[in-house]
Amino acid sequence: MKQEITFTLNNEEVTVLVDVRKSLLEMLREEFALMGTKEGCGVGECGACTVIVDDQTVDSCIYLAMWVAGRKVTTIEGITQADGTLADIQAAYVEAGAVQCGFCIPGMVLSSENLLQHNPQPSRAEIRRGLSGNMCRCTGYQKIVDAVEVTAHRRNEQ
C-alpha cells in the first residue's frame, strides 16, 4: 500500500508516493537518490544511517518513511553550503583526520551537528556522550571528538 506524503527535505518541500512499509533510509536512497545516508546494521545500532528529523537524530533504517509527513528532515547532503563547499563541521573532520573509510562519517557528522545545535559549548565528555549512538571501526574516536571540539570553539569565537 502506498501513500503520498509531503515533508521538508534539506530545506525544500517535497511530495512523494511511498510504500507504508518502507524505512526512511530506503526512501531517501531510492526516491531521492541521497546516497550519503548509509545502511550499516539495519537494526538501529550503529548510527551510520543517522539523519535529523525535527532537530532530533534518528536511525533512519528503523524509522518509517511515513513518520516524516509534515516534518523537517536533514541529511548529510543538507548541511553542505549553498555553493557546494563543506559545512564547517565537515571541514573540521577533514582537518582533524577524522575521516578514514568514510562509511560512518555522514551519521557521525549529523550527530555532531545536532549536538552543537543543542549544546554550543560541549565538554569532551558531552561530545562523547552525544556521539555514543554512532559506531566507528576505523578512527578510535579521538580525532572525531577533536573535530567537534574545534568546530564548537570556532563557532563560539564568531
PDB file of all heavy atoms in Angstrom, residues 33-64:
ATOM      1  N   ALA A  33      17.596   9.627  -4.299  1.00  0.00           N
ATOM      2  CA  ALA A  33      18.993   9.379  -4.683  1.00  0.00           C
ATOM      3  C   ALA A  33      19.986  10.078  -3.763  1.00  0.00           C
ATOM      4  O   ALA A  33      21.040  10.526  -4.185  1.00  0.00           O
ATOM      5  CB  ALA A  33      19.230   9.775  -6.146  1.00  0.00           C
ATOM      6  N   LEU A  34      19.647  10.139  -2.475  1.00  0.00           N
ATOM      7  CA  LEU A  34      20.540  10.714  -1.464  1.00  0.00           C
ATOM      8  C   LEU A  34      21.360   9.574  -0.876  1.00  0.00           C
ATOM      9  O   LEU A  34      20.953   8.914   0.074  1.00  0.00           O
ATOM     10  CB  LEU A  34      19.736  11.457  -0.395  1.00  0.00           C
ATOM     11  CG  LEU A  34      18.978  12.681  -0.907  1.00  0.00           C
ATOM     12  CD1 LEU A  34      18.083  13.259   0.174  1.00  0.00           C
ATOM     13  CD2 LEU A  34      19.952  13.732  -1.432  1.00  0.00           C
ATOM     14  N   MET A  35      22.508   9.352  -1.464  1.00  0.00           N
ATOM     15  CA  MET A  35      23.322   8.191  -1.114  1.00  0.00           C
ATOM     16  C   MET A  35      24.255   8.422   0.069  1.00  0.00           C
ATOM     17  O   MET A  35      24.949   7.508   0.503  1.00  0.00           O
ATOM     18  CB  MET A  35      24.138   7.746  -2.330  1.00  0.00           C
ATOM     19  CG  MET A  35      23.276   7.344  -3.501  1.00  0.00           C
ATOM     20  SD  MET A  35      22.152   6.003  -3.043  1.00  0.00           S
ATOM     21  CE  MET A  35      21.102   5.931  -4.456  1.00  0.00           C
ATOM     22  N   GLY A  36      24.268   9.626   0.622  1.00  0.00           N
ATOM     23  CA  GLY A  36      25.114   9.906   1.774  1.00  0.00           C
ATOM     24  C   GLY A  36      24.678   9.166   3.023  1.00  0.00           C
ATOM     25  O   GLY A  36      25.495   8.858   3.883  1.00  0.00           O
ATOM     26  N   THR A  37      23.400   8.880   3.126  1.00  0.00           N
ATOM     27  CA  THR A  37      22.883   8.136   4.270  1.00  0.00           C
ATOM     28  C   THR A  37      23.142   6.662   4.007  1.00  0.00           C
ATOM     29  O   THR A  37      22.683   6.113   3.013  1.00  0.00           O
ATOM     30  CB  THR A  37      21.379   8.406   4.460  1.00  0.00           C
ATOM     31  OG1 THR A  37      21.174   9.818   4.551  1.00  0.00           O
ATOM     32  CG2 THR A  37      20.850   7.749   5.717  1.00  0.00           C
ATOM     33  N   LYS A  38      23.892   6.043   4.900  1.00  0.00           N
ATOM     34  CA  LYS A  38      24.333   4.655   4.694  1.00  0.00           C
ATOM     35  C   LYS A  38      23.586   3.685   5.591  1.00  0.00           C
ATOM     36  O   LYS A  38      23.208   4.021   6.704  1.00  0.00           O
ATOM     37  CB  LYS A  38      25.828   4.524   5.027  1.00  0.00           C
ATOM     38  CG  LYS A  38      26.716   5.542   4.372  1.00  0.00           C
ATOM     39  CD  LYS A  38      26.871   5.287   2.910  1.00  0.00           C
ATOM     40  CE  LYS A  38      27.946   6.179   2.319  1.00  0.00           C
ATOM     41  NZ  LYS A  38      27.513   6.889   1.160  1.00  0.00           N
ATOM     42  N   GLU A  39      23.417   2.454   5.118  1.00  0.00           N
ATOM     43  CA  GLU A  39      22.892   1.392   5.972  1.00  0.00           C
ATOM     44  C   GLU A  39      24.067   0.568   6.478  1.00  0.00           C
ATOM     45  O   GLU A  39      24.821   0.000   5.701  1.00  0.00           O
ATOM     46  CB  GLU A  39      21.921   0.477   5.235  1.00  0.00           C
ATOM     47  CG  GLU A  39      21.378  -0.595   6.172  1.00  0.00           C
ATOM     48  CD  GLU A  39      20.270  -1.441   5.577  1.00  0.00           C
ATOM     49  OE1 GLU A  39      19.959  -1.287   4.385  1.00  0.00           O
ATOM     50  OE2 GLU A  39      19.713  -2.261   6.325  1.00  0.00           O
ATOM     51  N   GLY A  40      24.207   0.543   7.784  1.00  0.00           N
ATOM     52  CA  GLY A  40      25.264  -0.264   8.398  1.00  0.00           C
ATOM     53  C   GLY A  40      24.690  -1.564   8.905  1.00  0.00           C
ATOM     54  O   GLY A  40      24.844  -2.614   8.293  1.00  0.00           O
ATOM     55  N   CYS A  41      23.983  -1.486  10.003  1.00  0.00           N
ATOM     56  CA  CYS A  41      23.499  -2.698  10.671  1.00  0.00           C
ATOM     57  C   CYS A  41      22.062  -3.057  10.305  1.00  0.00           C
ATOM     58  O   CYS A  41      21.676  -4.213  10.396  1.00  0.00           O
ATOM     59  CB  CYS A  41      23.612  -2.521  12.186  1.00  0.00           C
ATOM     60  SG  CYS A  41      22.511  -1.237  12.846  1.00  0.00           S
ATOM     61  N   GLY A  42      21.251  -2.078   9.953  1.00  0.00           N
ATOM     62  CA  GLY A  42      19.854  -2.327   9.618  1.00  0.00           C
ATOM     63  C   GLY A  42      18.937  -2.514  10.821  1.00  0.00           C
ATOM     64  O   GLY A  42      17.756  -2.789  10.646  1.00  0.00           O
ATOM     65  N   VAL A  43      19.492  -2.359  12.033  1.00  0.00           N
ATOM     66  CA  VAL A  43      18.671  -2.551  13.242  1.00  0.00           C
ATOM     67  C   VAL A  43      18.799  -1.394  14.231  1.00  0.00           C
ATOM     68  O   VAL A  43      18.432  -1.526  15.390  1.00  0.00           O
ATOM     69  CB  VAL A  43      18.998  -3.890  13.949  1.00  0.00           C
ATOM     70  CG1 VAL A  43      18.608  -5.076  13.078  1.00  0.00           C
ATOM     71  CG2 VAL A  43      20.463  -3.959  14.349  1.00  0.00           C
ATOM     72  N   GLY A  44      19.327  -0.256  13.792  1.00  0.00           N
ATOM     73  CA  GLY A  44      19.390   0.922  14.645  1.00  0.00           C
ATOM     74  C   GLY A  44      20.463   0.914  15.711  1.00  0.00           C
ATOM     75  O   GLY A  44      20.330   1.603  16.713  1.00  0.00           O
ATOM     76  N   GLU A  45      21.525   0.175  15.489  1.00  0.00           N
ATOM     77  CA  GLU A  45      22.588   0.084  16.497  1.00  0.00           C
ATOM     78  C   GLU A  45      23.851   0.858  16.152  1.00  0.00           C
ATOM     79  O   GLU A  45      24.558   1.291  17.047  1.00  0.00           O
ATOM     80  CB  GLU A  45      22.962  -1.383  16.734  1.00  0.00           C
ATOM     81  CG  GLU A  45      21.879  -2.189  17.404  1.00  0.00           C
ATOM     82  CD  GLU A  45      21.619  -1.771  18.842  1.00  0.00           C
ATOM     83  OE1 GLU A  45      22.580  -1.394  19.543  1.00  0.00           O
ATOM     84  OE2 GLU A  45      20.457  -1.806  19.257  1.00  0.00           O
ATOM     85  N   CYS A  46      24.164   1.035  14.865  1.00  0.00           N
ATOM     86  CA  CYS A  46      25.482   1.582  14.510  1.00  0.00           C
ATOM     87  C   CYS A  46      25.494   3.076  14.241  1.00  0.00           C
ATOM     88  O   CYS A  46      26.537   3.708  14.350  1.00  0.00           O
ATOM     89  CB  CYS A  46      26.054   0.832  13.311  1.00  0.00           C
ATOM     90  SG  CYS A  46      25.253   1.217  11.738  1.00  0.00           S
ATOM     91  N   GLY A  47      24.372   3.663  13.851  1.00  0.00           N
ATOM     92  CA  GLY A  47      24.309   5.094  13.596  1.00  0.00           C
ATOM     93  C   GLY A  47      24.740   5.541  12.219  1.00  0.00           C
ATOM     94  O   GLY A  47      24.707   6.740  11.919  1.00  0.00           O
ATOM     95  N   ALA A  48      25.148   4.627  11.354  1.00  0.00           N
ATOM     96  CA  ALA A  48      25.577   5.017  10.006  1.00  0.00           C
ATOM     97  C   ALA A  48      24.451   5.702   9.233  1.00  0.00           C
ATOM     98  O   ALA A  48      24.704   6.556   8.387  1.00  0.00           O
ATOM     99  CB  ALA A  48      26.082   3.803   9.222  1.00  0.00           C
ATOM    100  N   CYS A  49      23.232   5.365   9.552  1.00  0.00           N
ATOM    101  CA  CYS A  49      22.070   5.895   8.836  1.00  0.00           C
ATOM    102  C   CYS A  49      21.451   7.119   9.506  1.00  0.00           C
ATOM    103  O   CYS A  49      20.349   7.534   9.151  1.00  0.00           O
ATOM    104  CB  CYS A  49      21.013   4.804   8.711  1.00  0.00           C
ATOM    105  SG  CYS A  49      20.313   4.344  10.322  1.00  0.00           S
ATOM    106  N   THR A  50      22.155   7.721  10.445  1.00  0.00           N
ATOM    107  CA  THR A  50      21.613   8.852  11.201  1.00  0.00           C
ATOM    108  C   THR A  50      21.252  10.022  10.298  1.00  0.00           C
ATOM    109  O   THR A  50      22.036  10.420   9.433  1.00  0.00           O
ATOM    110  CB  THR A  50      22.624   9.329  12.257  1.00  0.00           C
ATOM    111  OG1 THR A  50      22.898   8.251  13.152  1.00  0.00           O
ATOM    112  CG2 THR A  50      22.107  10.522  13.040  1.00  0.00           C
ATOM    113  N   VAL A  51      20.049  10.545  10.501  1.00  0.00           N
ATOM    114  CA  VAL A  51      19.600  11.796   9.896  1.00  0.00           C
ATOM    115  C   VAL A  51      18.952  12.613  11.014  1.00  0.00           C
ATOM    116  O   VAL A  51      18.725  12.103  12.115  1.00  0.00           O
ATOM    117  CB  VAL A  51      18.603  11.575   8.730  1.00  0.00           C
ATOM    118  CG1 VAL A  51      19.248  10.804   7.587  1.00  0.00           C
ATOM    119  CG2 VAL A  51      17.336  10.893   9.188  1.00  0.00           C
ATOM    120  N   ILE A  52      18.655  13.858  10.724  1.00  0.00           N
ATOM    121  CA  ILE A  52      17.997  14.719  11.706  1.00  0.00           C
ATOM    122  C   ILE A  52      16.556  14.924  11.268  1.00  0.00           C
ATOM    123  O   ILE A  52      16.294  15.325  10.132  1.00  0.00           O
ATOM    124  CB  ILE A  52      18.725  16.072  11.838  1.00  0.00           C
ATOM    125  CG1 ILE A  52      20.177  15.849  12.262  1.00  0.00           C
ATOM    126  CG2 ILE A  52      17.998  16.972  12.839  1.00  0.00           C
ATOM    127  CD1 ILE A  52      21.045  17.100  12.214  1.00  0.00           C
ATOM    128  N   VAL A  53      15.626  14.621  12.163  1.00  0.00           N
ATOM    129  CA  VAL A  53      14.200  14.851  11.926  1.00  0.00           C
ATOM    130  C   VAL A  53      13.720  15.806  13.010  1.00  0.00           C
ATOM    131  O   VAL A  53      13.783  15.485  14.206  1.00  0.00           O
ATOM    132  CB  VAL A  53      13.387  13.538  11.963  1.00  0.00           C
ATOM    133  CG1 VAL A  53      11.896  13.829  11.796  1.00  0.00           C
ATOM    134  CG2 VAL A  53      13.870  12.567  10.893  1.00  0.00           C
ATOM    135  N   ASP A  54      13.277  16.985  12.577  1.00  0.00           N
ATOM    136  CA  ASP A  54      12.806  17.998  13.529  1.00  0.00           C
ATOM    137  C   ASP A  54      13.760  18.183  14.699  1.00  0.00           C
ATOM    138  O   ASP A  54      13.368  18.115  15.864  1.00  0.00           O
ATOM    139  CB  ASP A  54      11.407  17.661  14.045  1.00  0.00           C
ATOM    140  CG  ASP A  54      10.323  17.848  13.007  1.00  0.00           C
ATOM    141  OD1 ASP A  54      10.571  18.524  11.985  1.00  0.00           O
ATOM    142  OD2 ASP A  54       9.227  17.317  13.205  1.00  0.00           O
ATOM    143  N   ASP A  55      15.022  18.394  14.399  1.00  0.00           N
ATOM    144  CA  ASP A  55      16.047  18.699  15.409  1.00  0.00           C
ATOM    145  C   ASP A  55      16.378  17.544  16.341  1.00  0.00           C
ATOM    146  O   ASP A  55      16.957  17.758  17.404  1.00  0.00           O
ATOM    147  CB  ASP A  55      15.657  19.941  16.220  1.00  0.00           C
ATOM    148  CG  ASP A  55      15.502  21.171  15.336  1.00  0.00           C
ATOM    149  OD1 ASP A  55      16.304  21.314  14.391  1.00  0.00           O
ATOM    150  OD2 ASP A  55      14.595  21.978  15.578  1.00  0.00           O
ATOM    151  N   GLN A  56      16.058  16.318  15.954  1.00  0.00           N
ATOM    152  CA  GLN A  56      16.430  15.135  16.730  1.00  0.00           C
ATOM    153  C   GLN A  56      17.073  14.125  15.788  1.00  0.00           C
ATOM    154  O   GLN A  56      16.581  13.912  14.679  1.00  0.00           O
ATOM    155  CB  GLN A  56      15.193  14.484  17.382  1.00  0.00           C
ATOM    156  CG  GLN A  56      14.509  15.353  18.412  1.00  0.00           C
ATOM    157  CD  GLN A  56      15.391  15.612  19.619  1.00  0.00           C
ATOM    158  OE1 GLN A  56      16.039  14.718  20.141  1.00  0.00           O
ATOM    159  NE2 GLN A  56      15.429  16.856  20.065  1.00  0.00           N
ATOM    160  N   THR A  57      18.151  13.496  16.234  1.00  0.00           N
ATOM    161  CA  THR A  57      18.756  12.469  15.396  1.00  0.00           C
ATOM    162  C   THR A  57      17.926  11.193  15.480  1.00  0.00           C
ATOM    163  O   THR A  57      17.377  10.869  16.535  1.00  0.00           O
ATOM    164  CB  THR A  57      20.206  12.153  15.834  1.00  0.00           C
ATOM    165  OG1 THR A  57      20.216  11.788  17.214  1.00  0.00           O
ATOM    166  CG2 THR A  57      21.121  13.332  15.583  1.00  0.00           C
ATOM    167  N   VAL A  58      17.811  10.522  14.353  1.00  0.00           N
ATOM    168  CA  VAL A  58      17.102   9.244  14.298  1.00  0.00           C
ATOM    169  C   VAL A  58      17.897   8.269  13.438  1.00  0.00           C
ATOM    170  O   VAL A  58      18.644   8.675  12.544  1.00  0.00           O
ATOM    171  CB  VAL A  58      15.656   9.372  13.733  1.00  0.00           C
ATOM    172  CG1 VAL A  58      14.814  10.324  14.549  1.00  0.00           C
ATOM    173  CG2 VAL A  58      15.658   9.788  12.271  1.00  0.00           C
ATOM    174  N   ASP A  59      17.736   6.994  13.736  1.00  0.00           N
ATOM    175  CA  ASP A  59      18.309   5.933  12.907  1.00  0.00           C
ATOM    176  C   ASP A  59      17.307   5.671  11.787  1.00  0.00           C
ATOM    177  O   ASP A  59      16.265   5.048  12.000  1.00  0.00           O
ATOM    178  CB  ASP A  59      18.543   4.670  13.733  1.00  0.00           C
ATOM    179  CG  ASP A  59      19.610   4.859  14.783  1.00  0.00           C
ATOM    180  OD1 ASP A  59      20.645   5.470  14.470  1.00  0.00           O
ATOM    181  OD2 ASP A  59      19.416   4.381  15.921  1.00  0.00           O
ATOM    182  N   SER A  60      17.619   6.147  10.607  1.00  0.00           N
ATOM    183  CA  SER A  60      16.657   6.087   9.504  1.00  0.00           C
ATOM    184  C   SER A  60      16.372   4.672   9.024  1.00  0.00           C
ATOM    185  O   SER A  60      15.383   4.445   8.338  1.00  0.00           O
ATOM    186  CB  SER A  60      17.121   6.963   8.340  1.00  0.00           C
ATOM    187  OG  SER A  60      18.325   6.483   7.777  1.00  0.00           O
ATOM    188  N   CYS A  61      17.204   3.701   9.412  1.00  0.00           N
ATOM    189  CA  CYS A  61      16.959   2.317   8.990  1.00  0.00           C
ATOM    190  C   CYS A  61      15.774   1.696   9.729  1.00  0.00           C
ATOM    191  O   CYS A  61      15.175   0.739   9.244  1.00  0.00           O
ATOM    192  CB  CYS A  61      18.205   1.454   9.178  1.00  0.00           C
ATOM    193  SG  CYS A  61      18.668   1.122  10.891  1.00  0.00           S
ATOM    194  N   ILE A  62      15.426   2.239  10.895  1.00  0.00           N
ATOM    195  CA  ILE A  62      14.299   1.687  11.666  1.00  0.00           C
ATOM    196  C   ILE A  62      13.188   2.719  11.861  1.00  0.00           C
ATOM    197  O   ILE A  62      12.274   2.518  12.650  1.00  0.00           O
ATOM    198  CB  ILE A  62      14.750   1.130  13.043  1.00  0.00           C
ATOM    199  CG1 ILE A  62      15.429   2.206  13.873  1.00  0.00           C
ATOM    200  CG2 ILE A  62      15.641  -0.090  12.839  1.00  0.00           C
ATOM    201  CD1 ILE A  62      15.698   1.798  15.314  1.00  0.00           C
ATOM    202  N   TYR A  63      13.260   3.803  11.130  1.00  0.00           N
ATOM    203  CA  TYR A  63      12.290   4.897  11.216  1.00  0.00           C
ATOM    204  C   TYR A  63      11.461   4.858   9.938  1.00  0.00           C
ATOM    205  O   TYR A  63      12.014   4.988   8.837  1.00  0.00           O
ATOM    206  CB  TYR A  63      13.047   6.215  11.338  1.00  0.00           C
ATOM    207  CG  TYR A  63      12.245   7.401  11.770  1.00  0.00           C
ATOM    208  CD1 TYR A  63      12.178   7.760  13.116  1.00  0.00           C
ATOM    209  CD2 TYR A  63      11.579   8.197  10.850  1.00  0.00           C
ATOM    210  CE1 TYR A  63      11.470   8.871  13.527  1.00  0.00           C
ATOM    211  CE2 TYR A  63      10.860   9.310  11.253  1.00  0.00           C
ATOM    212  CZ  TYR A  63      10.814   9.650  12.590  1.00  0.00           C
ATOM    213  OH  TYR A  63      10.111  10.751  12.992  1.00  0.00           O
ATOM    214  N   LEU A  64      10.172   4.663  10.054  1.00  0.00           N
ATOM    215  CA  LEU A  64       9.337   4.556   8.859  1.00  0.00           C
ATOM    216  C   LEU A  64       9.273   5.880   8.099  1.00  0.00           C
ATOM    217  O   LEU A  64       9.171   6.948   8.708  1.00  0.00           O
ATOM    218  CB  LEU A  64       7.927   4.112   9.215  1.00  0.00           C
ATOM    219  CG  LEU A  64       7.758   2.664   9.661  1.00  0.00           C
ATOM    220  CD1 LEU A  64       6.314   2.386  10.048  1.00  0.00           C
ATOM    221  CD2 LEU A  64       8.226   1.700   8.578  1.00  0.00           C
TER     222      LEU A  64
END
